[in-house]
Amino acid sequence: MTRIICLAIFLLSASVSQAQYFSTGFQANLGVPVGDLREIMDGSVFPEYTMSFYYKFPMKPIEVGFGIGYGKYGTELEERNDLYPGFNNIVRLRRNNNLMTFMGIFRYNFESEKRIIPFLEAQVGANYFYTRYKIRESQFEEPIEEGMDFSDWVLGYRFGGGFKIPFKNREMGHFEFKVLYHDSGPVDFLRKQDTEYLPDQGDGEFVYAPQRSPITVIQPGIGFIFTIGN
C-alpha cells in the first residue's frame, strides 16, 4: 500500500510539473439569434464574456476544459414616482436581463508548426437566464431595494470550429477566433419590454410576459489563451 501511495504521489507531482498542459483565457462572444428566436429578439443579440480553463493531453491533439460566461442582453432604466405609496420622490428603477453559461469543452486541434492552427470544438452545459432590478434615488447612492424578478435554466450545446494564432513565443499561448452554433431546449426569459408596472393595482404590481423559445444562435468569438506555468 505504501508503494502504491508513493507511486501516486510521484505521478501527481510529475503531472503538476508539466504545467504547460494547462491553460486559461478570456473570450468575447456575440450570440446572433437565428430561426424563430430572431423574430422574438427583434434585432437584439446575446453578448457573452467567458473565462475558460483547459487541459491538453500530453502527446495528443485533444483538450478538455470548462468555461463560465456572462452577459447582459437587455437593460432598461425608468424614472418613476409611483413605486411606493405615499412616497412621491422620483427614483431610478434599473432592470438588467442577464445570461450565464456553464459549459464543458472538448477540442480537437489539427496540430501544425504553421502560423495558423485550426481546431474543432464541442460544448455542452447549462444556460441560466435571470432578471435583476435595483431602485435608487440617484445613480451613485446605495439601492433602496434590489432583487431578482425572474429566472430559468435550460441545457444547451454548442459545436463549431476556429483557428489559433500562436504568440511570438508559442509556449506562452495564442490568440483564437471561432464560430459556434448554439442550441437548447425551450426556456422562459424576459426582454426589456416584457415587464410592466401597474401602480393602480393594489400597492403597485409588476406584471411579466416572458418569452419562451429555444436559444438558437450563431456565436462568433475572439479570445486569447495563456499557458500556465511557463
Side-chain angles (χ1 to χ4, degrees):
M1 176 62 73
T2 302
R3 291 182 179 180
I4 294 175
I5 294 175
C6 291
L7 178 60
I9 293 173
F10 171 79
L11 293 175
L12 179 61
S13 300
S15 175
V16 171
S17 69
Q18 300 296 318
Q20 65 268 25
Y21 296 134
F22 293 91
S23 58
T24 185
F26 173 83
Q27 291 94 31
N29 309 311
L30 186 66
V32 181
V34 296
D36 293 339
L37 184 63
R38 181 178 179 180
E39 300 297 323
I40 293 173
M41 294 303 294
D42 192 26
S44 297
V45 297
F46 293 93
E48 181 185 59
Y49 304 96
T50 303
M51 284 293 297
S52 298
F53 303 86
Y54 301 93
Y55 173 76
K56 184 180 184 303
F57 288 93
M59 309 302 292
K60 294 182 180 179
I62 295 173
E63 293 176 85
V64 295
F66 65 93
I68 302 174
Y70 169 77
K72 293 180 183 178
Y73 65 91
T75 184
E76 185 175 22
L77 174 64
E78 296 182 78
E79 293 187 344
R80 310 189 66 108
N81 65 352
D82 55 2
L83 292 178
Y84 302 106
F87 183 79
N88 296 320
N89 291 354
I90 293 177
V91 295
R92 297 163 54 93
L93 168 61
R94 181 176 294 277
R95 180 175 286 104
N96 294 319
N97 297 316
N98 309 277
L99 172 60
M100 292 194 71
T101 58
F102 307 88
M103 291 286 175
I105 303 170
F106 174 88
R107 178 179 288 185
Y108 182 88
N109 301 287
F110 295 91
E111 296 288 6
S112 170
E113 294 300 319
K114 297 181 179 179
R115 186 62 179 164
I116 296 179
I117 303 171
F119 62 85
L120 297 176
E121 183 169 302
Q123 301 184 13
V124 62
N127 303 308
Y128 178 49
F129 289 84
Y130 65 101
T131 299
R132 292 189 59 85
Y133 70 91
K134 288 186 179 181
I135 301 173
R136 306 173 189 259
E137 289 196 72
S138 68
Q139 181 178 358
F140 302 105
E141 293 191 33
E142 290 297 315
I144 299 172
E145 182 181 344
E146 61 182 314
M148 184 178 295
D149 283 335
F150 186 89
S151 65
D152 199 10
W153 289 86
V154 69
L155 297 178
Y157 64 89
R158 300 170 177 169
F159 62 88
F163 58 90
K164 304 176 181 180
I165 300 179
F167 297 155
K168 185 175 182 180
N169 181 347
R170 296 175 69 98
E171 299 298 322
M172 293 291 294
H174 62 268
F175 298 103
E176 63 180 37
F177 305 85
K178 62 184 178 183
V179 178
L180 302 178
Y181 174 81
H182 177 284
D183 200 5
S184 77
V187 63
D188 293 329
F189 62 95
L190 293 175
R191 304 168 302 174
K192 64 180 182 179
Q193 65 266 42
D194 292 332
T195 303
E196 182 181 6
Y197 180 65
L198 304 178
D200 299 326
Q201 189 162 320
D203 291 332
E205 181 177 338
F206 287 98
V207 177
Y208 307 104
Q211 305 298 310
R212 183 169 180 82
S213 170
I215 304 302
T216 309
V217 299
I218 302 297
Q219 192 178 53
I222 182 173
F224 48 87
I225 305 296
F226 293 101
T227 302
I228 299 174
N230 283 321

